[in-house]
Amino acid sequence: MLQSKSFVKKTKQGRIQKVVREHYLRDDIYCGFVPCSACDAAAERKLVADAAAILVVDTNVVLHQIDLLENPAIEDVVLLSVVLDEVKNKNLAVFNRIKALCTNKARRFYVFANEQHRDTYVKDMVGESSNDRNDRAIRVAAHWYQSHLGESVKVLLITNDRDNKRKAIEEGLNAETVESYVRSLAQPGLLDLVVVPTSGDVTMEDVEDHRPSKRKVIYSEHKPMSEITSGLRCGIYHQGKLRVNRYNPFEAYVGSESIGDEIVIRGRSNMNRAFDGDIVAVELLPQDQWHESKSFIADDDEEEEEEEDVHLVPNSADDAPRNASSTQSSVGSSAPSVSSRPVGRVVGIIKRNWNSYCGSLQPMPMPAGSGGVAHALFVSKDRRIPKIRIQTRQLENLVNKRIVVAVDSWGVLSRYPSGHYVRTIGDIGDKETETEVVLIENDINTRPFSTQVLACLPPLPWTLSQEDLANPNRQDLRHVRVFSVDPPGCRDIDDALHCTLLPNGNFEVGVHIADVTNFVHPGTPLDEEAAQRGTSVYLVGQRIDMLPKPLTEDVCSLRADVERLAFSVIWEMTPDADIISTRYTKSVIKSCAAMSYVEAQARMDDSRLVDPLTVDLRNLNSLAKIMRQRRCDRGALTLASAEVKFEIDSETHDPLDIGIYQIREANQMIEEFMLAANISVAEKILKHFPLCSLLRRHPSPTKEMLEPLLRTASSIGLNLDVSSSKALAESLDNAKSNDPYFNKLIRILATRCMTQAVYFCSGDLTFSEYYHYGLAASLYTHFTSPIRRYADVVVHRLLAAALEIAKLPPIFQDGPQLTGIADNLNYRHRNAQMASRASVELHTLIYFRTRPTDTEARIVKVKANGFIVFVPKFGIEGPIHLTPKGDKGGDWVVDEVHQRVTKPGTNISYAVLQTVRIHMEVVEPQPHRPKLQLTLI
Amino acid sequence: MEYVDPLTGFRVDGRRPNEMRKLKGEVGVVARADGSALFEMGNTRVIAAVYGPREVQNKGQQVNSKEALVRCEYRMAEFSTGDRRRKPKGDRRSTEISLVIRQTMEASILTHLMPRSQIDIFVQVLQADGGTRSACINAATLALADAGIPMRDIVTSCSAGYLCSTPLLDLNYLEDSAGGADVTVGILAKMDKVTLLQMDAKLAMDTFENVMGLAIEGCKAIATYIREVLLENTKRLECQRG
Ligand SMILES: [Zn+2]
C-alpha cells in the first residue's frame, strides 16, 4: 500500500520547494506478543505480559523516565516508531539508552513500526499540530494492539499528558500516568525513580527550601532560543562548551570560536545553572569587571566552599588545578589582579549535557516518622557537579551509600538542580563500591565480552599453522634470539627484542610487537568492541582488558618458549647507534626468555655473566644510552613523576605496602627502543598515507601554563629558560643545589605544567603541528602496545597497508570517522588514567586507615592559611593548615613573591621547597566520610 | 542521518533494504510512435517512444550499412524536479545518459537484421525521484518491444546503493543524494549478461560485489514484471482482434 507524503521545505539557497515522498505501508509488521497466533510464526517475539499489562509509552515518558524504564521491574513495553523518532530528535543520549533496551535480549522491549503499518498509520489532519498528530498515532497503535490481542490481554497506555490520557479513556483505552502505574506495582523503592513533573503546580519547588525568606529568584531566566540565535549571529553572544574547573567548581571556561579565546565564567550565578559539558551562549561582562574578585563566592555563600583534599601528585597540567586563580589561593588574598582574559556570564543553554552522577547524600538528621517522602541533598563525587536535590521514600537505606542520581530540572528559584535517585552501588568506603564508582565516573566498560565478540576469537588452543609459515609476507625469525623485558608478573607481553652482532661490526636490532591485527579484523564485533574500549585500564590489583583474555594473555602475548606471530621493525645500527637501514615485516618469533626489569638489570650488572643473552642485553643497553643521550641533546624533556606501587594481600586484596615505583636502567633501555620503533613506524605510515595516518602529538606548553613553575623557581632564585623545549631541558639539567632531591622536585613541578600528548588524524593538522614536545620528535605514534591500546591496532593496519601486505580498511577513507576514532581514543585514554589515579588514591586511603604515619614532606605551594606539601615517599600531595579551619589565617603573613609564610614577631616561617615533617592519618570529620589528613609535627 | 532505521530495519520510505519501489509499466501511450511505453519506479516516471526501423535520414551518420543505426535522445522535462530551473538542452549529463541508453539498447537489438535503417529512441523523464537512468532503460525496452523491434533479450536496469553499512536496492532521490555509492546495473535478463555497470563512488571489493549482486536481483525482478506487462498487452491485443 502506498501513501504519499508531501510537505514544503526551504532549500539551502532559500527557495521554497515542495517535496513529495513515497511512504510505503505494509502488512508484514507483527505484534511481538509471544502467545499470538495471528501473526507470522517466524516473527520476532518479546512480549509476555504474564503478570500485568502490555505497556504503550508516549514520547515524554521515554524522555523523562528512562531511569525507570531501565529498571528490571518494568517489562513488556511497546515502543512505537513515532515515539522513537521523536526521542531521537529531542535527546540523542536518551535515544541511545532506549535503543540499548530494545536490542537487549534480556529485556522485553519491543519496537513496533506503527508508521509503516497499514492499520496504524495516521494521516496528518488539517490544522492539527504535530504533537497532537503523534499523540493520536500513539492512541491508534494502542487500539490496534488491544483489538489485535483481544480482551484477555490488557494494553495500557502510559502518559503524563493529561489531555492525551483523557482522550484515550474516552476512546475506550486503558490509560494511566507513570506515577499511578508505578504505585500499582507496589514497590516503594521504584517510586524514587519516577521523575515528578515540574511544570505542574505540585512539588519540589515548594518544599525544597524550608526557609521561606530564601524563596527568591536566584538565577536569571535563560533567554529564549530565538533571541540567542540572533544574538549569536550579531556577535553579542558567544557559543561554546562549558568546562568547569575540576579543582574549583565556581570557575568555568567556555572555549569560544567567535572570540578565539576562552571566556572565564566566575561564580554559580554567572554560570547560571549550566553544567559541565553543556553547550551555552555567553555574554561578555564589561571589561572593568574582568578582574578577579572574591565577591563571586559571596553569592554562593554557606556550606559550599570545600577545600582541597589530599590527592595524587598530578602527572600533567590536565590533572592539576588551573593556574588562573589558584595562585591567588583560597582565602585572604583580596588584591584584585587585572586579568587579560575575557569574563562573561551564561545567558542561555543551547544543549544540555545532563547525565547521571555517582555520589552520596549529604549527611542529615533522619526526619521523624520514617516511611514518608524525604528531601535530601546529593553530593556528587565529581566536584564539578553542583549538589542535587532529590526526594526519596527510603532515606534510611540511602544515607551511607554510594548512589547514582540523575538530573531532571533546574529552575530560577532553586539554588540546586532537582533530580531523582537511580540506583545504589554499595556502602561508602567499601573497596568494591568505591572501585565501581571510579569505573562509572570514568565511563569504563567492565561488562564481560559478548558472545558475538568471543565468537571472533581463533579456535583455542591456538598454535602456529603451516599457512602462517608459508605466508610469503611473514618472515620466519624463530632462529633469532628474541627476549622480552617487562614489569614483574606481566602476562600481556606486547613487545620483545633482539640484538645480533653483524659480521661488519654493526648490530641488527629488532623490535617485535604482538601481531594483534592478525586476529582482530576490521569491522568485526571484536574490533568494534576494542575500538570502543580504546585501551585496557589498570587499577590497583585489577586490569580491565581491551581484548578478551585468551588474546591478551595467550595467543598474542609474546611469552617465552612458544611460537608467536609478530610485527617487527628491524634496524641495522652502527655501534654508535646510527640507524643505517630500517625494515618492517610480519614475522614468527620464539622468545627465549621473558624477564622482569629486575632480572634483566641483575644480569647486566653481574659482571661474571657472559652468556649470549646477557651480552645482547648489554649491547642493547649501550645503544640505548647513546640514543637517549642524543634524544636529550635534541631537547627531549626528562620529566619526573612519582608513580606509586602497592603490594596487595592476595586474600583480602588490601594494600600491604606502598612505595614509589623504582625506575631502572633496564626500563629506560626498553623505553628507548619502543620510542625508536614508534618513530620509525610514524615515518613509514605518514609517507604512504599523508592524510589518514593516526599520529600522536604533544603541544608545546604556553607561557601561561608554565607560569606556576616560573613563579616557584624565581622565588628561590632559580632562572628557567622556557623559550624552547631544548632550553627548558638544559635549564632543568642545570637546576642543582646541595639538596639531592632538589632537581627531581623541580622536574615534578615542571611535569604538571605540561598538557598530555594526544592522538590525531594527520589530515586534520599541518606538519608543524605534528610535533611531540616532550620527546622533541617531529613525528610520533603508538605502535608497540596493540594488546592494550587500540591506537596501536589502527597503526598496525596502516603499516600493513603501507607494506602492501593488507588492504587499508575502508574506514580510512572517511576523514570525519577517523577523527572520531582519534577523539574517542583520547577520551578513553584520559579516563583510563583518571581511573588509575583514583584507584591509587583509594588504596592509599585504605592503607593509611590502619597505619597513621610520620614522614617527610616538601612544601610545593604556599597559601594564605597554610601550604601544600608533596610527600615523596607516597607520591601524594595535600594541604597543611597552620590555623584551624574557619580562622582566616589571621596571624600569618604571606609573602607571595618569595612563596613564604611567616608568623610576625617570631622566627617561624615556611618557604617553598622546604622540608617539613608531617603526620598522616585517616580521619572522619563526618560519619562514613573518611579522608586522609596531613598535619605538621 | 540514518537511512536504515537501526531498530525497525526500515528505510526512510518504509521499504526494507532489499525491496524495490512500486513498479508500473504501460505500453502504447504515444499513438503516433511505432512503439511507446510509460514506466514508473515509485515517483520516478519516464516515457519512451520509438520510431523505426526506418530509412536512414542522414547518411553521414551511418557507420556500417550492414547494421541498423540506433539513436537515442534523453531529456528531462523541466517540471520533472522540484526546483524550477532551466536545464539547457544537450547539457553534458543528458548527452552522457543518451549515450548510456543507446549503448545499452544497442547491445540487445538485433541490428544486423535491419541493415540500412535507423531506430530512434526518445526518452523523457516526467518526474524524477532517483533511479532515472534505470527507469529510462526499462521504458525503452518496453517501447522497443511495443514497436516490434527484434531483440536478443529483454534489457532491464536497476540501481543499488550502500548506506549505513547496508546494501540498498533501488535508491530514491533522498537516498541517492546521501553521498553513498550508487551502482547502476543493466542486464540481458535471460542470458544473465551484464551490459551496463556504472558506479560513482568508491566501495571495497567485497562490498561492491554484494551491492552489485543486489542490483542484479533487482534487474531480474524488473524483467519478470516487464514480461508480464508485455504478456498482458499481447492478450489484450488478441482479445481486440477477437
Ligand atoms: Zn500478533
Side-chain angles (χ1 to χ4, degrees), chain A residues 31-32 36 38-39 148-149:
Chain A
C31 70
C36 176
C39 287
H148 178 79
L149 299 178

PDB file of all heavy atoms in Angstrom, chain A residues 31-32 36 38-39 148-149, ligand 1:
ATOM      1  N   CYS A  31       3.044  -8.146  15.975  1.00  0.00           N
ATOM      2  CA  CYS A  31       2.798  -7.534  17.277  1.00  0.00           C
ATOM      3  C   CYS A  31       3.863  -7.866  18.310  1.00  0.00           C
ATOM      4  O   CYS A  31       4.032  -7.157  19.290  1.00  0.00           O
ATOM      5  CB  CYS A  31       1.431  -7.947  17.808  1.00  0.00           C
ATOM      6  SG  CYS A  31       1.352  -9.685  18.278  1.00  0.00           S
ATOM      7  N   GLY A  32       4.608  -8.949  18.116  1.00  0.00           N
ATOM      8  CA  GLY A  32       5.671  -9.277  19.058  1.00  0.00           C
ATOM      9  C   GLY A  32       5.212  -9.941  20.336  1.00  0.00           C
ATOM     10  O   GLY A  32       5.984 -10.103  21.272  1.00  0.00           O
ATOM     11  N   CYS A  36       0.755 -14.910  20.586  1.00  0.00           N
ATOM     12  CA  CYS A  36      -0.142 -14.520  19.487  1.00  0.00           C
ATOM     13  C   CYS A  36      -0.112 -15.556  18.364  1.00  0.00           C
ATOM     14  O   CYS A  36       0.950 -15.971  17.911  1.00  0.00           O
ATOM     15  CB  CYS A  36       0.261 -13.158  18.936  1.00  0.00           C
ATOM     16  SG  CYS A  36      -0.725 -12.673  17.519  1.00  0.00           S
ATOM     17  N   ALA A  38      -2.091 -15.039  15.558  1.00  0.00           N
ATOM     18  CA  ALA A  38      -2.496 -14.368  14.328  1.00  0.00           C
ATOM     19  C   ALA A  38      -1.290 -13.947  13.490  1.00  0.00           C
ATOM     20  O   ALA A  38      -1.385 -13.804  12.279  1.00  0.00           O
ATOM     21  CB  ALA A  38      -3.338 -13.137  14.664  1.00  0.00           C
ATOM     22  N   CYS A  39      -0.172 -13.734  14.160  1.00  0.00           N
ATOM     23  CA  CYS A  39       0.991 -13.204  13.448  1.00  0.00           C
ATOM     24  C   CYS A  39       1.843 -14.325  12.872  1.00  0.00           C
ATOM     25  O   CYS A  39       1.750 -15.474  13.284  1.00  0.00           O
ATOM     26  CB  CYS A  39       1.839 -12.344  14.382  1.00  0.00           C
ATOM     27  SG  CYS A  39       1.058 -10.756  14.731  1.00  0.00           S
ATOM     28  N   HIS A 148      -6.108  -6.377  18.411  1.00  0.00           N
ATOM     29  CA  HIS A 148      -5.353  -7.497  17.856  1.00  0.00           C
ATOM     30  C   HIS A 148      -5.189  -8.607  18.899  1.00  0.00           C
ATOM     31  O   HIS A 148      -5.307  -9.788  18.581  1.00  0.00           O
ATOM     32  CB  HIS A 148      -3.996  -7.007  17.378  1.00  0.00           C
ATOM     33  CG  HIS A 148      -3.095  -8.075  16.825  1.00  0.00           C
ATOM     34  ND1 HIS A 148      -3.234  -8.574  15.554  1.00  0.00           N
ATOM     35  CD2 HIS A 148      -2.062  -8.748  17.376  1.00  0.00           C
ATOM     36  CE1 HIS A 148      -2.321  -9.506  15.347  1.00  0.00           C
ATOM     37  NE2 HIS A 148      -1.590  -9.639  16.441  1.00  0.00           N
ATOM     38  N   LEU A 149      -4.938  -8.215  20.134  1.00  0.00           N
ATOM     39  CA  LEU A 149      -4.673  -9.212  21.175  1.00  0.00           C
ATOM     40  C   LEU A 149      -5.947  -9.685  21.862  1.00  0.00           C
ATOM     41  O   LEU A 149      -5.919 -10.688  22.574  1.00  0.00           O
ATOM     42  CB  LEU A 149      -3.701  -8.653  22.213  1.00  0.00           C
ATOM     43  CG  LEU A 149      -2.320  -8.247  21.684  1.00  0.00           C
ATOM     44  CD1 LEU A 149      -1.469  -7.671  22.797  1.00  0.00           C
ATOM     45  CD2 LEU A 149      -1.603  -9.434  21.046  1.00  0.00           C
TER      46      LEU A 149
HETATM   47 ZN    ZN C   1       0.025 -10.741  16.707  1.00  0.00          ZN
END
